[in-house]
Amino acid sequence: MESLKEDIRAELLALTQSLKLQIKSDTGSGRQPSYLFVEGKVPMNNGPAVHRSFVDNRTQPRKSLSLEDVRKELGDCHRCPLGQIRTNLVFGEGNPKAEIVFVGEAPGRDEDIQGRPFVGRAGQLLTRIIIAMGLKREDVYICNILKCRPPGNRNPRPEEIMTCEPFLIKQLQTINPKVICALGTFAAHTLLKTDVPITVLRGKFHTYHGIQLMPTYHPAFLLRNPASKKQVWDDVQKIMKILLPPASH
Ligand code: SF4
């Protein structure tokens, strides 16, 4: 109970500090404060709230954008409170021209320490899955919906996703893979904007911003439920058929 209170206290403190930093930065730059977005409305100059689309200036594709550009734009991000409590921002890594991108939920403890995605036990299992697909980690791209670790590995919150997801969309637009593999319930639900159970979603292709998306179980779930590895292997084989279509005769 006490540690829960401590977590909540730390998070509230981080939220306050983050808002202060962002207000200071926005005031200095004369930018419209993005953190004032509430359900598509934004108050302008203390006047009445006016409707504005969330995607108006944050998810527009820019044709010549590179991953380095996206990383630069993200900068030392403090757009949400998680920026105050992370050790390292985990942007993602791999082949900028990958045909497949694996998207997880958020960095865990090991990832937060190392600044790299999927490097803990679950990450090692993901690496083995990638090798079983006949690929290497360097061939694929791996990232998460959130780029900073939520305290105690709790689920990402809607406002954190709303703030961070535009950068994931830009990463995916830049890489333009043939397939996205959503790892686990949370990644699948967030990307597909659904709450259909992963047991129903997995095994079938869906579409995310025009890219084929296969949801499957998270490697951390497989560590706890090794019997589900077969289903993941089934999903992965469907992906491989897209990556390596049979040679025509
Ligand atoms: S989670 Fe995303 S939006 Fe929040 S601070 Fe980290 S990079 Fe920025």
Side-chain angles (χ1 to χ4, degrees):
M1 194 59 171
E2 267 312 303
S3 73
L4 180 65
K5 277 186 190 164
E6 278 303 308
D7 278 357
I8 294 170
R9 217 172 282 143
E11 223 176 313
L12 281 173
L13 185 65
L15 173 65
T16 314
Q17 286 171 337
S18 173
L19 275 171
K20 276 185 189 161
L21 271 175
Q22 196 69 50
I23 289 167
K24 202 172 160 196
S25 141
D26 285 341
T27 309
S29 68
R31 262 199 320 267
Q32 177 65 49
S34 59
Y35 47 85
L36 293 179
F37 278 82
V38 179
E39 293 179 353
K41 295 179 178 180
V42 57
M44 308 276 282
N45 303 325
N46 298 325
V50 294
H51 285 278
R52 199 163 96 172
S53 161
F54 165 64
V55 294
D56 63 355
N57 61 359
R58 299 196 248 184
T59 59
Q60 292 300 309
R62 276 180 275 169
K63 282 194 178 101
S64 57
L65 210 62
S66 69
L67 279 177
E68 287 75 28
D69 294 331
V70 182
R71 181 65 191 88
K72 215 190 253 176
E73 187 183 343
L74 190 59
D76 183 25
C77 184
H78 290 83
R79 291 172 180 83
C80 87
L82 297 181
Q84 284 298 112
I85 47 179
R86 68 168 179 245
T87 309
N88 285 297
L89 188 152
V90 183
F91 181 67
E93 67 180 24
N95 182 352
K97 293 185 178 156
E99 295 200 323
I100 177 163
V101 176
F102 292 90
V103 181
E105 175 180 320
R109 187 174 167 276
D110 293 317
E111 291 75 18
D112 179 58
I113 291 169
Q114 295 189 39
R116 297 180 56 212
F118 282 91
V119 288
R121 278 184 68 223
Q124 286 158 20
L125 178 53
L126 177 62
T127 304
R128 292 203 292 279
I129 292 170
I130 291 166
I131 290 168
M133 293 171 78
L135 299 166
K136 298 190 287 291
R137 252 181 95 110
E138 310 85 84
D139 296 328
V140 309
Y141 195 84
I142 306 173
C143 57
N144 288 297
I145 288 163
L146 291 189
K147 307 201 179 317
C148 302
R149 183 193 182 205
N153 292 353
R154 65 152 169 78
N155 283 344
R157 293 187 172 149
E159 64 275 16
E160 294 160 357
I161 294 166
M162 189 178 89
T163 313
C164 208
E165 194 184 8
F167 293 95
L168 171 65
I169 293 172
K170 284 179 187 175
Q171 281 173 295
L172 293 169
Q173 283 171 337
T174 302
I175 299 167
N176 194 22
K178 278 188 186 167
V179 183
I180 296 166
C181 182
L183 297 168
T185 297
F186 207 86
H189 284 183
T190 303
L191 293 172
L192 297 174
K193 311 294 179 221
T194 180
D195 54 7
V196 173
I198 185 81
T199 47
V200 177
L201 292 172
R202 61 148 289 275
K204 292 183 276 286
F205 281 105
H206 306 257
T207 307
Y208 179 82
H209 291 262
I211 300 168
Q212 297 209 73
L213 184 148
M214 172 64 79
T216 195
Y217 295 128
H218 194 284
F221 172 82
L222 294 183
L223 290 174
R224 297 188 302 271
N225 301 277
S228 297
K229 282 183 187 172
K230 182 182 175 320
Q231 288 164 301
V232 170
W233 184 238
D234 289 345
D235 300 344
V236 157
Q237 281 180 312
K238 287 177 187 162
I239 293 174
M240 284 157 67
K241 276 190 189 147
I242 291 194
L243 298 183
L244 299 166
S248 54
H249 298 288

